Amino acid sequence: MGIWSKRMSGSRGMRGYAHPSQVVLLVLACLFGGTGSPSFAADAPKQTGSDPAYAERIRPLLQKYCFDCHSEKVTKSGLRLDTLAVDFLAAPAAITWKEIQSRIVDRTDNRMPPEGKPQPPEADVKSLHRWIETKFAAVAAADAIAQKQEGRAQLRRLNRTEYNNTLHELLGINVDLKPLLPEDDAVAGFDNVGTGLQITRIHQERYLEAAETALNAAIATGPRPPSTTRKFTFPKDGYPARRLLENDTVVFFTSAVAELQRSRAPASGRYRVRISAQPYRNQGKPLVVFINCGNPNHPDERYCAVAADQPTVIGFEAQMGSGNTVRLAPTGFGVKYIKDIAAYEGPGLVVEWVEIEGPLTDTWPPASQQRLLGTLDLKKAALTDAEQVLRNFIPRAFRRPVPEAKLQKYLTFLNAKVADGHCTIEQALRQSLTAVLCAPDFLLLQESPGPLDDHALAARLSYFLWRSMPDQPLLELAGQQKLRAPGELRRQVERMLQDQRAGAFAENFLGQWLGLRQIDATTPDRVLYPEFDDYLRYSMLREPQRFFEEMLRKDLGIHNLIASDFSMLNDRLAEHYGIPGVEGPEFRPVKLPPESHRGGVLTMAAVLKVTANGTVTSPVLRGAWLLDKIMGQPLQLPANLMVAAVEPDIRGARDIREQLAKHRTVPQCASCHQKIDPFGFALENFDPIGGYRTNYRAMGKHPKAPVKVHDKPVEYSPGLPVQAGDVMPNGRPFADSDAFKKLLLDDQALVMRTVTEKMLVYATGSPMRPADRPAVDSILRRVHEKNDGLRTLVHELIQSELFLNK
C-alpha cells in the first residue's frame, strides 16, 4: 500500500489529501497495472502450420468435385472452397468444414455434390471424413492441454447484475446500482462470459460512484427519520377520466395511470401501503389493478386483485425513493378519451383511500449499518475500532479468507489517512471501504487452473443460482473445506434452489437464452393490435419464468420446453390464449385443453413477441431464433462468403411465403433460406403479440361483424390466410406448429444438448470449447439415465468436471 501513500502525498493543491476518487483509481491502477485493466489469457491455442495431407489428398478431391461451383469463377451460395483456410479453430472456417462434412460425408440435408453431378468414390469420402475428424480431434486435444494449463474459464469480473446483488447482500441495502454501471457485452449469448467483461477506465470511475452510493445507503448520517401514517384520497378532477361519487370517493374509467401527488415519500426507505378499492358497474366481475410505488422509469410492478362485490383493502410493503409516489390504474378498460364523464355509464374502479406508513425502521441505526459497523458509533470511534471494521469486512467482501499481508495494506492506508491530519476516522474508514469495494479481489472471481478451491466453488455456485455472493452457510462450509464432501454439494444445491433468491436463475438465464430481455425492443402497432397493454406485457414476460421454475421444482422432463400439456397462466394471459376459467393476477399451473396450440416455450407470447416486430412477423427472424436457441445451430456465414448485393424480384408476391420463395431462387440467398424458412413458418400462425391467427390483419375497418376491444370497434380487417406448413430441410413435412413440435420431439437429444450447453455457458462464464464434448456427453448420459428432468440437469451439471474446475 506504500505506493498509494506516496501518490496521495503528491496530490497537488490539497496539501497531501486525495479525493476518494483518486484513492480508488490509484488502487486499481496499482493492482491492475498502468491501464487499469486486468490481463486476460487467450481462451484456446492458436492453430498454425501447413498440412501436407490437405495438399496431397483433400484439395485435389475438392477441386475435382466442388470447385466447379465454389471457386473464383463460380461462387454458388457465396461459398469459395478454393480459398478456404485449413483452420479448424477459427469459427468461420471451422463452421464451413463442419458443413462440408455434413453435406459430403454424412450426406445430410442438401447433400453435395447434388444429384446429377459426378459423385466422389466412397473411399475418397471416407478419407475426407477421417481427415476432418482428425483435425477436429487435434484441436480438441490441444484445447484440453490448454485447459489444464490455464483453466477453461477466463478470469472475469462481476457483471452489473451480480455487482448490484452482491452489494445488496453484503451491505443489506436495497438501492438499484445497475443504472450507475455501463452495460455489459454479451458473448455466446450471455453477459457473464469473461471475454465480454473487460474493465475500462469508465468502469473504474462508475465502480467508485456505485460503491460510494452503496456505503451512503448503508451508513446512517443523521437521526432516525420519523415514521408517519398518512391517508389520502384522489382529487375529484384531473387526468385520467374520473368522477366523484356521492360518498366522496373517486371512480376511474380508463386504464391510464393515475398518480397521487400528495403521496410523495419524504425519505428513501421501506413503506407500508394500503389501498381500499372496489369495482364499479363491472357486471359483478372482479378487477385487477396495477400499482407502482417506485421510480416510474424503473417500475416496481405489481398487479393486485379487487373482489367483485365488496371493498378490497390491498396491503403490501414497498421500497420507495425520496419523492416517489403511489401510481395506480385499473386494467382492462383501455386508455380512452371520455367526452362527457358525467354521462358515462361504463365500468370503473372506485378508489376510496390510500394509506402510506413509513419510512419503516425496525432498528436504529439501520440493520445495514449494524451489519457493517456493529454497534460502533463512527463519531466516537477510535482508530482500533476502524481497523476492526476493516478486518471483519474484507474477508466477507472478498468471499474468502484474506492473508494478513493483504489486510495490512488496507490497514496501513487507513492509518496513513488518519495520520496526515486531514481525514477524520470516519472519512478514512469510508475511503478504505470504498477501496475494498473497487478492488480486484472484490470485482473479480478468483479462480486458479485446476479444481476450484472450496471458496471459488462456493462463489461459482452462488453466482450460478442466485447471481449473488455466497451466503454464510456456503462460506462456512468452504472455510471448513467440506463443500466437496460426499453429498454436501447436492444438499447445498437443494437448499439454494428452495431459496427465493433462486428466482434470479430463471429470470437471468431465460432472459438471455430466449432473448426475453428484448421484450420492449418493439412496440406493437396500436391499430393492428389494440388489445396489447401493460398487463399483457407483464404477464407474457413472467409465463416462461414461472414455467421454468415449475419444471425445476417438479424436476419435469426437458421435453416440456418443446411441448407440454400445461402452462403457467394468470387471467390476462389465459384470456389472450382463449383459455376460460382462470381468474386473478396470480400465476398457477393450468392444464391446456386438447384444442390449444400452446404448450412449451416456443408458443409462449413472450417468445413470439421478441421474435417479431410491432407490425408483422418474420419467418426469417423466428427461424434464425429457433436454429440458435433451440437447435444449437446458430446461423453464421461460412468462410469466404461474399454475398452480392442482389435483391430478388418479389413483384407479384402476395404474402411473405411467396416473397421468401423468390428469395430461394437467388443463389446467394438459397442456402440460408432453405435452413431458416421452414423453422420460421412453423410459428406463422402466431402474430407479433403471440395471439393465434388464421388470417393476417390488414388496415381498414372490418367489413362484416366488427370486433370490439375496450368497447371500441377495431380498425383492422381480416387479411390473407396464414399458411404455416412447410417441409424441413431433411424432407419431413409439417402442417402447423403442433406438427412441428412433434418433429422436434423426435430429435430430443439435440434439444437436450442445446439446453445443456447454454446452461453451461451461463453457469461457468465460459463459451463452449473444443475439448468440452466428452464432459457434455457424460452429463447428458447421467441425466438420461434418470429422468431427463430439469432439476436433475442442474445437479449433474454442477457435479461435472466443467463446473468443478476453472
Side-chain angles (χ1 to χ4, degrees):
M1 203 60 94
I3 189 170
W4 297 357
S5 301
K6 290 178 183 178
R7 296 191 180 188
M8 304 297 157
S9 62
S11 299
R12 294 184 295 169
M14 301 189 72
R15 295 181 299 173
Y17 172 71
H19 186 272
S21 64
Q22 294 173 302
V23 174
V24 180
L25 293 181
L26 287 172
V27 169
L28 293 173
C30 292
L31 294 179
F32 283 167
T35 63
S37 299
S39 174
F40 295 104
D43 262 345
K46 297 294 184 289
Q47 194 173 41
T48 59
S50 59
D51 188 319
Y54 172 78
E56 295 172 6
R57 295 185 289 108
I58 305 305
R59 184 176 176 87
L61 174 64
L62 297 177
Q63 186 171 9
K64 182 175 181 179
Y65 294 100
C66 304
F67 281 10
D68 284 350
C69 297
H70 300 287
S71 61
E72 183 178 9
K73 292 182 179 180
V74 180
T75 311
K76 288 188 176 181
S77 300
L79 175 63
R80 286 187 62 178
L81 297 183
D82 58 328
T83 57
L84 177 62
V86 185
D87 188 344
F88 287 72
L89 186 61
I95 290 171
T96 303
W97 284 114
K98 271 294 184 185
E99 188 75 4
I100 291 172
Q101 185 178 36
S102 172
R103 298 286 189 91
I104 300 178
V105 178
D106 298 335
R107 307 295 178 93
T108 56
D109 312 334
N110 302 313
R111 58 177 291 176
M112 292 292 169
E115 293 182 8
K117 293 285 186 179
Q119 301 294 314
E122 190 65 24
D124 288 348
V125 171
K126 290 181 178 180
S127 176
L128 177 62
H129 172 71
R130 286 193 299 269
W131 181 79
I132 292 176
E133 285 296 303
T134 299
K135 299 298 288 186
F136 278 118
V139 170
D143 182 52
I145 294 172
Q147 289 193 32
K148 288 182 179 180
Q149 295 173 345
E150 304 167 5
R152 176 177 177 273
Q154 257 191 19
L155 176 70
R156 79 170 184 92
R157 62 170 170 83
L158 304 179
N159 66 22
R160 64 204 295 258
T161 299
E162 294 165 338
Y163 182 93
N164 183 76
N165 294 348
T166 298
L167 281 179
H168 285 193
E169 184 76 18
L170 181 64
L171 299 176
I173 60 174
N174 191 5
V175 177
D176 188 8
L177 302 170
K178 287 187 290 186
L180 300 177
L181 303 176
E183 292 277 356
D184 298 309
D185 293 331
V187 174
F190 296 94
D191 65 4
N192 65 326
V193 175
T195 47
L197 294 174
Q198 304 295 326
I199 296 181
T200 66
R201 187 82 174 182
I202 294 176
H203 282 94
Q204 295 171 19
E205 294 171 354
R206 298 292 180 83
Y207 284 138
L208 166 67
E209 183 181 359
E212 291 175 340
T213 301
L215 289 171
N216 288 337
I219 301 173
T221 56
R224 183 174 191 160
S227 180
T228 61
T229 300
R230 299 171 295 155
K231 201 168 188 177
F232 309 98
T233 57
F234 277 91
K236 65 178 181 178
D237 300 314
Y239 178 84
R242 64 187 72 173
R243 182 196 304 163
L244 185 67
L245 301 181
E246 294 179 358
N247 58 354
D248 292 333
T249 58
V250 173
V251 57
F252 294 93
F253 294 106
T254 90
S255 293
V257 175
E259 182 177 18
L260 183 55
Q261 294 284 350
R262 291 178 295 166
S263 66
R264 294 190 182 279
S268 296
R270 185 167 50 91
Y271 288 79
R272 184 174 296 115
V273 180
R274 299 172 70 238
I275 299 172
S276 179
Q278 183 176 2
Y280 179 74
R281 292 195 305 215
N282 198 41
Q283 300 178 345
K285 299 177 182 178
L287 271 177
V288 174
V289 59
F290 161 81
I291 306 172
N292 166 237
C293 298
N295 185 334
N297 296 321
H298 303 282
D300 171 28
E301 297 174 301
R302 66 185 74 236
Y303 287 84
C304 304
V306 178
D309 53 357
Q310 60 185 359
T312 298
V313 176
I314 303 167
F316 56 89
E317 290 187 1
Q319 188 73 20
M320 298 180 70
S322 178
N324 287 167
T325 58
V326 173
R327 306 164 73 248
L328 59 80
T331 64
F333 295 163
V335 178
K336 54 194 173 186
Y337 171 71
I338 301 175
K339 184 176 181 179
D340 187 355
I341 193 69
Y344 184 71
E345 297 184 355
L349 173 74
V350 171
V351 179
E352 297 178 321
W353 47 260
V354 176
E355 181 182 273
I356 303 176
E357 178 186 356
L360 305 175
T361 51
D362 300 328
T363 60
W364 196 260
S368 58
Q369 180 168 321
Q370 294 181 39
R371 182 180 299 191
L372 181 61
L373 305 177
T375 59
L376 179 64
D377 183 349
L378 283 177
K379 303 301 181 184
K380 302 176 182 178
L383 184 57
T384 53
D385 297 325
E387 289 179 340
Q388 190 58 50
V389 169
L390 277 179
R391 284 186 174 276
N392 293 339
F393 180 70
I394 292 174
R396 290 198 300 118
F398 292 174
R399 304 176 287 277
R400 62 174 55 245
V402 179
E404 182 62 26
K406 185 172 288 189
L407 284 173
Q408 282 300 324
K409 292 182 179 180
Y410 292 93
L411 297 176
T412 299
F413 175 71
L414 171 70
N415 279 270
K417 298 315 301 172
V418 174
D420 70 13
H422 296 94
C423 277
T424 65
I425 290 176
E426 178 179 355
Q427 290 170 336
L429 180 58
R430 280 179 177 268
Q431 289 188 28
S432 301
L433 292 170
T434 301
V436 170
L437 295 179
C438 296
D441 291 276
F442 175 75
L443 296 175
L444 305 180
L445 293 177
Q446 304 293 332
E447 299 175 348
S448 300
L452 298 176
D453 64 49
D454 277 41
H455 286 94
L457 178 57
R460 178 172 283 191
L461 186 60
S462 64
Y463 284 108
F464 171 34
L465 298 180
W466 290 347
R467 288 291 102 179
S468 187
M469 65 179 290
D471 63 357
Q472 196 58 34
L474 275 178
L475 290 174
E476 289 178 358
L477 284 168
Q480 299 165 6
Q481 297 186 340
K482 292 182 178 179
L483 191 53
R484 290 175 178 267
E488 189 58 58
L489 194 56
R490 187 172 294 274
R491 282 191 291 271
Q492 290 304 311
V493 171
E494 282 296 313
R495 178 182 70 86
M496 295 175 72
L497 288 176
Q498 294 168 19
D499 191 286
Q500 64 178 2
R501 286 169 287 190
F505 177 27
E507 179 182 355
N508 287 279
F509 176 60
L510 293 183
Q512 296 179 85
W513 170 37
L514 300 181
L516 302 182
R517 289 184 176 180
Q518 304 304 313
I519 193 73
D520 295 322
T522 62
T523 301
D525 186 280
R526 291 181 179 273
V527 174
L528 289 176
Y529 303 100
E531 66 267 44
F532 183 81
D533 54 27
D534 289 339
Y535 189 23
L536 179 57
R537 173 207 166 276
Y538 165 91
S539 302
M540 63 169 57
L541 187 58
R542 279 152 184 79
E543 180 190 13
Q545 295 173 9
R546 300 294 183 268
F547 183 79
F548 187 86
E549 290 169 350
E550 182 75 359
M551 285 183 60
L552 196 59
R553 186 175 68 86
K554 294 184 176 179
D555 197 21
L556 299 180
I558 295 173
H559 68 270
N560 283 279
L561 292 170
I562 301 302
S564 63
D565 62 359
F566 80 99
S567 196
M568 302 295 290
L569 306 178
N570 65 357
D571 58 346
R572 183 67 186 91
L573 210 53
E575 177 190 12
H576 189 54
Y577 292 171
I579 298 174
V582 180
E583 295 185 355
E586 300 82 13
F587 282 82
R588 80 295 309 258
V590 175
K591 188 171 180 60
L592 298 172
E595 67 276 11
S596 174
H597 301 286
R598 307 291 170 172
V601 299
L602 306 186
T603 51
M604 290 184 180
V607 166
L608 295 162
K609 183 181 184 303
V610 300
T611 56
N613 66 30
T615 305
V616 298
T617 55
S618 168
V620 175
L621 182 60
R622 284 179 172 171
W625 182 93
L626 275 161
L627 282 169
D628 178 16
K629 308 296 186 180
I630 304 301
M631 308 304 291
Q633 300 171 355
L635 188 68
Q636 299 191 39
L637 301 181
N640 304 314
L641 179 62
M642 303 294 291
V643 179
V646 176
E647 285 293 331
D649 182 359
I650 60 172
R651 288 175 296 180
R654 297 183 307 158
D655 58 18
I656 187 65
R657 179 177 291 277
E658 293 183 3
Q659 290 178 22
L660 291 179
K662 288 179 177 288
H663 271 271
R664 296 188 197 185
T665 65
V666 178
Q668 289 90 336
C669 305
S671 62
C672 289
H673 280 284
Q674 288 169 354
K675 292 181 182 179
I676 299 172
D677 295 355
F679 286 86
F681 276 118
L683 302 178
E684 191 64 5
N685 274 126
F686 299 92
D687 64 30
I689 62 172
Y692 189 81
R693 65 187 178 187
T694 55
N695 290 79
Y696 297 102
R697 292 182 181 182
M699 293 291 188
K701 293 186 177 180
H702 199 293
K704 296 181 180 179
V707 178
K708 288 187 176 183
V709 174
H710 307 310
D711 296 324
K712 180 181 177 181
V714 299
E715 297 181 32
Y716 64 80
S717 59
L720 293 171
V722 174
Q723 302 178 60
D726 212 319
V727 178
M728 296 287 278
N730 60 11
R732 301 182 68 185
F734 62 89
D736 53 23
S737 60
D738 299 328
F740 174 75
K741 286 191 283 188
K742 291 179 181 178
L743 293 182
L744 290 187
L745 289 177
D746 290 341
D747 205 359
Q748 285 188 57
L750 182 58
V751 176
M752 281 284 298
R753 181 175 293 276
T754 300
V755 175
T756 301
E757 291 184 349
K758 299 288 186 183
M759 194 177 292
L760 270 168
V761 174
Y762 179 81
T764 63
S766 171
M768 298 304 298
R769 295 182 48 160
D772 293 344
R773 188 174 184 89
V776 174
D777 290 342
S778 178
I779 293 171
L780 290 170
R781 184 170 55 254
R782 294 196 304 272
V783 173
H784 185 64
E785 287 171 353
K786 297 178 181 178
N787 58 352
D788 284 332
L790 182 60
R791 198 180 191 94
T792 299
L793 173 60
V794 172
H795 275 294
E796 296 302 331
L797 185 152
I798 289 171
Q799 298 285 344
S800 72
E801 63 182 73
L802 298 182
F803 190 87
L804 297 175
N805 290 269
K806 180 182 184 296

